[in-house]
Amino acid sequence: MATRTDAPTRREQILKEAARLFAERGFHGVGVDEIGAAVGISGPGLYRHFAGKDAMLAELLVGISGQLLTGAKRRVAEADGGAGAEAVLDSLIEGHIDFALDDRPLITLHDRELDRLRDSDRKMVRQLQRQYVELWVGVVREVYPGLGEPAARSAVHSVFGLLNSTPHLGRAGSLPGRGATAELLHRMARGAFEAAGV
């Protein structure tokens, strides 16, 4: 989701590899030595960056929830300059598709490991996710004013389910191409909202 072009920090490298390994083998199936080896440092060297695996998991899941919300708020704010609600919805869909295609291990990680977070971290994830959903609900209801709030919320969750299914589409290299996949997902998301808004 990030648009930065500078090299990732060591901390970001560690998180990326931890997400990949946790998604592949499960949180308990990966040791700090393996994460360290994946980024070229010793396992104990990770403790200069993180208190432990639990801290990595929390930063990954709280972090991506915060990034999604921040990105969505930015897209809405940028569109306030005159773009209509349809364009705002398209922008939100594009942002979530970028996440779904670029951060597939985090989707798997969220599905499998959210319950492993401390209560306070899990509550933070849920709070950020609720804000993200409500932002979408507001935009969807602008595009489809006849759609009630519960139906709009259900439609948003359904579209998230569709877009977040990318880890089940096969390995990244087996997809038809990022552009074609993104376009297909976008059409399907808009089709779902159209069906809900009829």
Side-chain angles (χ1 to χ4, degrees):
M1 235 174 82
T3 56
R4 302 174 12 166
T5 55
D6 52 330
T9 66
R10 176 60 64 151
R11 188 176 179 85
E12 290 167 337
Q13 291 172 342
I14 292 168
L15 286 172
K16 181 177 181 182
E17 288 304 315
R20 181 183 65 78
L21 290 167
F22 292 159
E24 284 177 5
R25 301 207 313 265
F27 180 73
H28 288 302
V30 178
V32 292
D33 289 337
E34 294 168 275
I35 298 168
V39 294
I41 61 176
S42 69
L46 289 178
Y47 293 109
R48 286 194 297 270
H49 302 278
F50 296 96
K53 285 192 335 179
D54 291 335
M56 288 180 220
L57 182 64
E59 187 157 333
L60 285 164
L61 296 181
V62 173
I64 194 57
S65 297
Q67 288 174 35
L68 284 168
L69 178 60
T70 299
K73 286 179 176 179
R74 179 184 45 78
R75 287 172 179 274
V76 169
E78 288 171 356
D80 279 347
E86 296 262 357
V88 176
L89 182 57
D90 284 332
S91 181
L92 288 174
I93 293 169
E94 288 165 13
H96 200 95
I97 288 171
D98 285 344
F99 156 68
L101 292 176
D102 297 340
D103 293 312
R104 293 167 72 190
L106 289 176
I107 295 171
T108 301
L109 196 57
H110 180 277
D111 288 347
R112 289 186 193 157
E113 311 291 354
L114 182 64
D115 288 343
R116 298 200 189 286
L117 291 180
R118 292 179 312 177
D119 285 345
S120 59
D121 290 326
R122 191 168 49 252
K123 286 178 184 172
M124 177 59 72
V125 168
R126 294 297 190 204
Q127 179 184 28
L128 291 166
Q129 289 175 337
R130 277 192 300 275
Q131 291 175 47
Y132 184 61
V133 167
E134 293 311 309
L135 188 146
W136 276 68
V137 168
V139 173
V140 167
R141 292 193 70 207
E142 282 185 56
V143 176
Y144 305 102
L147 195 59
E149 192 171 311
R153 192 170 292 106
S154 292
V156 167
H157 281 291
S158 296
V159 167
F160 289 169
L162 166 73
L163 299 180
N164 291 345
S165 69
T166 56
H168 308 291
L169 298 178
R171 296 206 177 275
S174 69
L175 298 177
R178 191 185 194 290
T181 302
E183 185 179 334
L184 174 63
L185 289 170
H186 195 113
R187 283 198 320 267
M188 293 172 72
R190 283 307 298 259
F193 285 130
E194 290 288 339
V198 172

Coordinates of all heavy atoms in Angstrom, one line a residue, residues 20-31 34 112-113:
R20 N 5.5 -13.1 6.0 CA 5.6 -14.2 5.0 C 5.7 -15.6 5.7 O 5.0 -16.5 5.4 CB 6.8 -14.0 4.0 CG 6.9 -15.1 3.0 CD 8.1 -14.8 2.1 NE 9.4 -14.9 2.8 CZ 10.0 -16.1 3.2 NH1 9.4 -17.3 2.9 NH2 11.1 -16.1 3.8
L21 N 6.7 -15.7 6.6 CA 6.9 -16.9 7.3 C 5.7 -17.3 8.2 O 5.3 -18.5 8.2 CB 8.2 -16.8 8.1 CG 9.5 -16.8 7.3 CD1 10.6 -16.4 8.2 CD2 9.7 -18.1 6.6
F22 N 5.1 -16.4 8.9 CA 3.9 -16.7 9.7 C 2.8 -17.2 8.9 O 2.1 -18.1 9.2 CB 3.5 -15.5 10.5 CG 4.4 -15.0 11.6 CD1 4.3 -13.7 12.1 CD2 5.4 -15.9 12.2 CE1 5.2 -13.3 13.1 CE2 6.2 -15.4 13.2 CZ 6.1 -14.1 13.6
A23 N 2.6 -16.6 7.7 CA 1.5 -17.0 6.8 C 1.8 -18.3 6.2 O 0.8 -19.1 6.1 CB 1.3 -15.9 5.7
E24 N 3.0 -18.6 5.9 CA 3.3 -20.0 5.3 C 3.2 -21.1 6.4 O 2.7 -22.2 6.0 CB 4.8 -19.9 4.8 CG 4.9 -19.2 3.5 CD 6.3 -19.1 3.0 OE1 7.2 -19.7 3.6 OE2 6.6 -18.5 2.0
R25 N 3.8 -20.9 7.6 CA 3.9 -22.0 8.5 C 3.2 -21.8 9.8 O 3.3 -22.6 10.7 CB 5.4 -22.2 8.8 CG 6.1 -22.5 7.4 CD 7.3 -23.4 7.6 NE 8.2 -23.0 8.6 CZ 9.3 -22.2 8.4 NH1 9.6 -21.7 7.2 NH2 10.1 -21.9 9.4
G26 N 2.5 -20.7 10.0 CA 1.8 -20.4 11.3 C 2.7 -19.7 12.3 O 3.9 -19.9 12.2
F27 N 2.1 -19.0 13.2 CA 2.9 -18.2 14.1 C 3.8 -19.1 15.0 O 5.0 -18.8 15.2 CB 1.9 -17.4 15.0 CG 2.6 -16.6 16.1 CD1 3.2 -15.4 15.7 CD2 2.5 -17.0 17.4 CE1 3.8 -14.6 16.7 CE2 3.1 -16.2 18.4 CZ 3.8 -15.0 18.0
H28 N 3.3 -20.2 15.5 CA 4.0 -21.1 16.3 C 5.0 -22.0 15.5 O 5.9 -22.6 16.1 CB 3.1 -22.0 17.2 CG 2.5 -21.2 18.3 ND1 3.2 -20.4 19.2 CD2 1.2 -21.0 18.6 CE1 2.3 -19.8 20.0 NE2 1.1 -20.1 19.6
G29 N 4.9 -22.0 14.2 CA 5.8 -22.8 13.4 C 7.0 -22.1 13.0 O 7.8 -22.7 12.2
V30 N 7.2 -20.9 13.4 CA 8.4 -20.1 13.0 C 9.1 -19.6 14.3 O 8.5 -19.1 15.2 CB 7.9 -18.9 12.2 CG1 9.1 -18.0 11.8 CG2 7.2 -19.3 10.9
G31 N 10.4 -19.7 14.2 CA 11.2 -19.2 15.4 C 11.9 -17.9 15.0 O 12.0 -17.6 13.8
E34 N 14.8 -18.2 12.5 CA 14.4 -18.3 11.1 C 14.1 -16.9 10.5 O 14.4 -16.6 9.4 CB 13.2 -19.2 10.9 CG 13.5 -20.6 11.2 CD 12.2 -21.4 11.3 OE1 11.6 -21.4 12.4 OE2 11.8 -22.0 10.3
R112 N -5.7 -16.2 10.4 CA -5.3 -17.3 11.3 C -4.8 -16.9 12.7 O -5.0 -17.7 13.6 CB -4.1 -18.0 10.6 CG -4.4 -18.8 9.4 CD -3.1 -19.5 9.0 NE -3.3 -20.1 7.7 CZ -2.2 -20.4 6.9 NH1 -1.0 -20.2 7.3 NH2 -2.4 -20.9 5.7
E113 N -4.3 -15.7 12.8 CA -3.6 -15.4 14.1 C -4.1 -14.3 14.9 O -3.5 -13.9 15.9 CB -2.1 -15.1 13.7 CG -1.4 -16.2 12.8 CD -1.2 -17.5 13.5 OE1 -1.4 -17.7 14.7 OE2 -0.7 -18.4 12.8

